Amino acid sequence: MRTVYLDNAATSFPKAPGVSDAMKRFLDESCSNIGRGSYERAQDAGLSVIETREKIRAMFDCPDAKHVIFTGGMTASLNTAIKGFVRRGDRVLVSSFEHNSVLRPLVQIGADIVRIPSTSDGVSDLSRLPDDLSSFRLCVHTFASNVSGMLQPVKALSEALKQAGVPLVIDAAQAAGHVPFSMRDLGAAALCMPAHKGLLSAQGLGVLCLTPDFADRLEPLIAGGTGSVSDRLEIPSFYPDRLEAGTLNLPGIMGLRAALDSIDTERIRAHEQKLNAMFLQAVSNLSDVRLLGSADPEERVGVYSLDFIKQDNAEVSYRLESEYGILTRCGLHCAPDAHRALGTFPKGSVRFSISPFTTEEEIAFSVRAIEQIR
């Protein structure tokens, strides 16, 4: 049986050309730590990490490469930005669609969480923002929902927050690599991204891009060796060292470096828009199937959630795999708030998500399978 992989919102597959080769080459031929040795291999590894930071800075128009921080993953990036800034009792503004990687740290801290109401299409309704924005310590908002795929009005939100002096942390897990954007243009204080989704690299690596001002207001979560100022017991005050204690995931960074060389976001967006239009037009009017979010391909990324109204969504997802070889993700997608806002809690939905390598033929095949199963 053929396999059609449509779970790219969880992790992309296949990876970009050269990713596994770069990781293997580093492990086989160098495997040197950075900042811990002055020999040539260690110096070469350090230069490769610097080059990767610069590639990220250029791709997302971040203010400064030294404020491109590598973490253990998307969740670690969000935790660094949230827990390093928010204290118990602080008011924090979020969307109605946030992932548990945002909400659980806030609950753990004991923050006062306020949600922006949603429109019926699953977009933050900025006309219903709280009047007292200046009372908030922080706003954390997704760029694109990992449930509905709907793009969110983060730029307009940042402009409102800026007037109130509230920093904005953007969760770009479903947007980075899929949608061209500028961190500076969006007005974000922090941009959080995983390597293994739209950036087409391996799991276990996250990226946190910061403005210098916001970086200086963060308290580091992890303290330890950095390979710098080792004669002092205080955490270094300079970046990226201040927020990168311990050994980095260097094989992952080498893989990401290779992936970034092959990512043309404008081309990817055009390809995925074509697939969006195919899928959305085909499923939006099917009886007994509800599409979460708008059917306008311009308003979303390539993440589509369907609710099979008269069936168990988990059974539908199983049948798609067992009968057609189509791999999806069913459930709440670690975002119960999103399903509450969209009216699919606790049932969840069947999520289909594409990548730059998804073909028109695979979309057509998947649509036929949905028509037959519904």
Side-chain angles (χ1 to χ4, degrees):
M1 181 190 300
R2 69 181 296 177
T3 297
V4 178
Y5 184 81
L6 293 179
D7 195 22
N8 291 279
T11 193
S12 59
F13 182 83
K15 301 303 181 184
V19 168
S20 58
D21 289 341
M23 296 175 71
K24 184 177 187 300
R25 183 165 56 250
F26 176 75
L27 290 170
D28 288 348
E29 299 177 9
S30 175
C31 210
S32 300
N33 215 342
I34 63 170
R36 273 76 170 178
S38 58
Y39 43 88
E40 185 176 2
R41 279 162 44 183
Q43 295 289 345
D44 287 345
L47 290 173
S48 293
V49 172
I50 290 171
E51 183 181 342
T52 309
R53 291 190 210 277
E54 178 56 33
K55 287 178 181 291
I56 293 167
R57 186 213 61 76
M59 178 176 287
F60 298 104
D61 190 26
C62 306
D64 193 322
K66 70 174 178 287
H67 290 101
V68 173
I69 308 300
F70 293 116
T71 70
M74 179 66 179
T75 299
S77 293
L78 285 165
N79 271 256
T80 300
I82 292 169
K83 290 184 177 180
F85 191 73
V86 177
R87 300 294 175 261
R88 179 173 296 276
D90 284 344
R91 300 188 82 201
V92 178
L93 187 65
V94 301
S95 78
S96 294
F97 321 106
E98 295 307 317
H99 192 277
N100 280 341
S101 294
V102 170
L103 296 175
R104 286 180 173 173
L106 291 172
V107 169
Q108 185 183 38
I109 293 166
D112 177 11
I113 303 170
V114 177
R115 293 164 174 82
I116 303 170
S118 166
T119 67
S120 59
D121 275 343
V123 174
S124 284
D125 187 351
L126 300 190
S127 70
R128 300 168 68 188
L129 284 174
D131 293 330
D132 55 344
L133 280 180
S134 61
S135 69
F136 289 90
R137 172 73 170 170
L138 186 70
C139 178
V140 187
H141 202 294
T142 186
F143 198 140
S145 169
N146 76 312
V147 174
S148 68
M150 293 295 292
L151 289 163
Q152 302 296 320
V154 287
K155 182 176 181 180
L157 174 62
S158 75
E159 291 170 354
L161 293 169
K162 183 177 181 180
Q163 295 180 14
V166 181
L168 172 64
V169 174
I170 293 181
D171 172 348
Q174 304 300 334
H178 296 287
V179 179
F181 63 87
S182 158
M183 178 180 171
R184 273 191 267 222
D185 184 55
L186 292 179
L191 180 69
C192 303
M193 302 175 286
H196 70 102
K197 299 190 182 192
L199 298 186
L200 304 175
S201 193
Q203 295 99 324
L205 179 66
V207 180
L208 172 61
C209 300
L210 302 165
T211 62
D213 175 67
F214 190 68
D216 288 342
R217 298 169 73 185
L218 292 182
E219 185 65 28
L221 295 188
I222 300 173
T226 59
S228 57
V229 291
S230 297
D231 59 315
R232 300 182 60 184
L233 300 184
E234 295 80 16
I235 296 172
S237 60
F238 51 86
Y239 300 92
D241 299 45
R242 181 168 173 76
L243 297 174
E244 284 187 351
T247 298
L248 296 177
N249 177 0
L250 293 174
I253 293 171
M254 301 306 165
L256 177 58
R257 178 172 170 249
L260 294 172
D261 286 337
S262 69
I263 294 175
D264 179 341
T265 314
E266 297 280 356
R267 179 185 59 78
I268 289 171
R269 178 63 173 165
H271 171 71
E272 293 187 354
Q273 284 290 78
K274 184 183 296 185
L275 301 187
N276 282 353
M278 285 182 61
F279 188 93
L280 295 169
Q281 182 178 9
V283 304
S284 58
N285 294 316
L286 290 179
S287 61
D288 301 327
V289 177
R290 180 190 167 210
L291 170 70
L292 304 189
S294 167
D296 185 344
E298 296 289 336
E299 296 180 352
R300 56 194 304 154
V301 294
V303 175
Y304 330 111
S305 276
L306 300 183
D307 180 18
F308 291 78
I309 297 169
K310 294 184 179 180
Q311 300 186 65
D312 184 321
N313 285 330
E315 178 66 23
V316 171
S317 183
Y318 172 75
R319 289 187 61 193
L320 285 168
E321 178 187 7
S322 61
E323 298 176 22
Y324 299 91
I326 300 170
L327 308 184
T328 62
R329 182 178 174 189
C330 178
L332 295 177
H333 311 98
C334 297
D337 265 19
H339 284 280
R340 289 187 179 97
L342 294 164
T344 45
F345 183 88
K347 181 182 181 183
S349 63
V350 182
R351 186 182 71 185
F352 303 74
S353 49
I354 63 175
S355 87
F357 304 109
T358 305
T359 67
E360 294 182 40
E361 195 276 330
E362 287 175 324
I363 292 296
F365 177 77
S366 299
V367 167
R368 289 195 297 272
I370 293 168
E371 292 172 339
Q372 292 166 11
I373 284 179
R374 66 185 171 90

